[in-house]
Every structure is written in structure tokens, then in C-alpha cells.
Amino acid sequence: MLAVRRAFTRLRKVFAAHPPVPVPPRDPARPRHNVFEAAAAFVTASAEDDADRLDEAAGWVAPDALAFGINELACRAVIALARERDEPVEAVARGLLGLPRSEPSRPV
């Protein structure tokens, strides 16, 4: 019980030393975008070589969130394409990147 009380005392000190950062009010003229909207817009702009839209989409979310969204989009796209082609996911991914087919691993 004493350990729990000490832990809460330490937490109170941390919170007191680091007050919350005020969040600026949301601009109603600027729409909110989620990670997946940003990723879709970013990839589309990249494919169409549209630098203005690319910069705009990159500003919608944090860079790490955008990277996550792009990764998720890529995974879903490769899976969908593999199902459509009735091919293994790895074969489709390697083919899209222009890589040779991988050899099946041999038992040691």
C-alpha cells in the first residue's frame, strides 16, 4: 500500500511540473483529415506527380501517422491485387517492385 501511495505522489509531482500544453482552437474552415484520407491523397498525388496536392496531403497529419497510413494502404493494395490475380502476396509485391521471383527456401 505504501508503494502505491509513493507512486501516486511521484505522478502528482510529474504532472505538476509539466502542465498540459494548451490546444489551439480548431479552425472550422480547415477540415479534419484522418490518417487514411491523408495516405490516399498522398499516394494519389504521388502517382499523378502533383507536387501541390502532395504537399497539402503531407500537412494533414503527422509524418509518422502518414507513413503508417501509406504502409497500411500498400499492404491492403498488394493483398487485393494478389487475390484478384490468384497469386501469392510475395510474388505480387516483388513483381510490382520489379524484383525477380524468390526461390523457395531449402531445408538445411
Side-chain angles (χ1 to χ4, degrees), residues 33-88:
H33 299 282
N34 69 36
V35 172
F36 300 114
E37 287 174 327
F42 187 87
V43 170
T44 302
S46 180
E48 295 174 352
D49 202 24
D50 186 338
D52 292 335
R53 282 183 37 218
L54 196 67
D55 291 340
E56 180 186 354
W60 289 352
V61 295
D64 57 334
L66 182 60
F68 169 78
I70 292 169
N71 181 64
E72 187 66 23
L73 177 61
C75 290
R76 292 179 187 196
V78 170
I79 290 168
L81 196 54
R83 287 180 182 158
E84 183 180 296
R85 293 180 179 179
D86 197 26
E87 294 180 17

Side-chain angles (χ1 to χ4, degrees), residues 7-21:
F8 277 115
T9 301
R10 278 186 256 143
L11 277 174
R12 279 191 208 104
K13 288 179 183 177
V14 168
F15 286 126
H18 298 57
V21 177

